[in-house]
């Protein structure tokens, strides 16, 4: 999936008190996070979505839009948003993918269940996947780690020829791959 382009889709999302229609064209031109989760009104999912909501302003300041996606409807997203304090703080897109089109496009549909895996995809402004993470049902994701990956991907995109090593943090030294580095790291 890395370095593949986003596939066509259309869906309705709940965002800031409104239902909005979106397509893959709404993703192009900005960095985007597709944050798949199994279902609304569950257990691990609200902890992840709430954590991501706490980092949404920082993501927005970096030109990143967030699209959380489950196979629930946009109506269910609104009901959850209205009934949960944790989900109620979400301002990013909550995409209803009841047809499974988007979930299947990203190859994260659980066969025979109609539910998305717990998966995150980071896309560049050209709609190309630059990072992805898929975890088992019981393993929640952390928004702070996603932020580190966003910063690294944006750095690499704006500094051709440089790469970010493990544990890299914004402002730290990067590497410039060359024959001189072989065997010296």
């Amino acid at each position: 999936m890395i370095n593949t382009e986003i596939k066509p889709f259309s869906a309705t999302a709940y965002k800031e008190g409104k239902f909005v229609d979106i397509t893959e064209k709404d993703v192009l031109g900005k960095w985007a996070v597709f944050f798949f989760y199994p279902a609304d009104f569950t257990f691990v999912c609200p902890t992840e979505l709430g954590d991501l909501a706490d980092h949404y302003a920082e993501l927005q300041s970096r030109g990143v839009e967030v699209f959380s996606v489950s196979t629930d409807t946009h109506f269910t997203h609104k009901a959850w948003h209205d009934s949960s304090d944790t989900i109620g703080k979400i301002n990013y897109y909550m995409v209803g993918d009841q047809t499974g089109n988007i979930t299947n496009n990203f190859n994260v549909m659980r066969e025979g269940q109609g539910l998305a895996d717990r998966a995150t995809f980071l896309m560049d402004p050209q709609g190309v996947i630059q990072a992805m993470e898929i975890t088992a049902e019981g393993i929640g994701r952390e928004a702070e780690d996603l932020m580190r990956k966003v910063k690294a991907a944006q750095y690499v995109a704006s500094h051709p020829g440089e790469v970010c090593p493990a544990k890299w943090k914004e402002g730290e030294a990067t590497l410039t791959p060359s024959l001189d580095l072989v065997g010296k790291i």
Side-chain angles (χ1 to χ4, degrees):
M1 297 286 301
I2 297 295
N3 292 321
T4 62
E5 292 184 22
I6 190 167
K7 295 178 182 177
F9 73 88
S10 64
T12 302
Y14 180 72
K15 184 174 186 341
E16 298 178 339
K18 297 178 185 164
F19 294 132
V20 292
D21 293 327
I22 61 170
T23 72
E24 76 284 352
K25 293 178 179 83
D26 295 306
V27 177
L28 301 175
K30 61 181 96 56
W31 287 84
V33 169
F34 276 76
F35 198 83
F36 291 88
Y37 63 98
D40 292 1
F41 295 100
T42 56
F43 315 103
V44 175
C45 299
T47 66
E48 295 180 309
L49 295 168
D51 184 33
L52 190 57
D54 293 340
H55 289 80
Y56 185 57
E58 183 180 2
L59 286 161
Q60 288 276 274
S61 75
R62 300 190 71 85
V64 180
E65 188 52 76
V66 175
F67 300 87
S68 65
V69 183
S70 79
T71 55
D72 296 293
T73 68
H74 54 286
F75 298 112
T76 306
H77 293 331
K78 180 191 182 311
W80 196 23
H81 192 275
D82 292 350
S83 65
S84 166
D85 291 339
T86 298
I87 301 306
K89 65 185 177 180
I90 292 174
N91 291 318
Y92 50 77
Y93 291 89
M94 297 181 75
V95 182
D97 185 31
Q98 63 271 20
T99 66
N101 185 44
I102 303 167
T103 306
N104 282 313
N105 282 352
F106 283 87
N107 201 29
V108 292
M109 180 68 80
R110 292 181 186 174
E111 190 172 334
Q113 294 184 30
L115 300 173
D117 281 325
R118 202 172 297 290
T120 309
F121 295 86
L122 173 61
M123 306 186 81
D124 67 21
Q126 292 73 43
V128 176
I129 298 171
Q130 296 299 316
M132 61 184 274
E133 174 184 23
I134 302 173
T135 67
E137 173 65 24
I139 303 171
R141 295 157 287 176
E142 181 183 9
E144 192 61 41
D145 189 50
L146 174 61
M147 288 301 310
R148 187 190 67 76
K149 291 173 188 171
V150 166
K151 291 172 185 177
Q154 289 180 334
Y155 185 91
V156 169
S158 64
H159 296 85
E162 294 183 46
V163 295
C164 296
K167 297 184 181 182
W168 179 85
K169 302 277 191 268
E170 191 171 36
E172 293 181 351
T174 59
L175 300 172
T176 303
S178 71
L179 193 56
D180 297 336
L181 286 182
V182 174
K184 298 200 170 124
I185 296 177

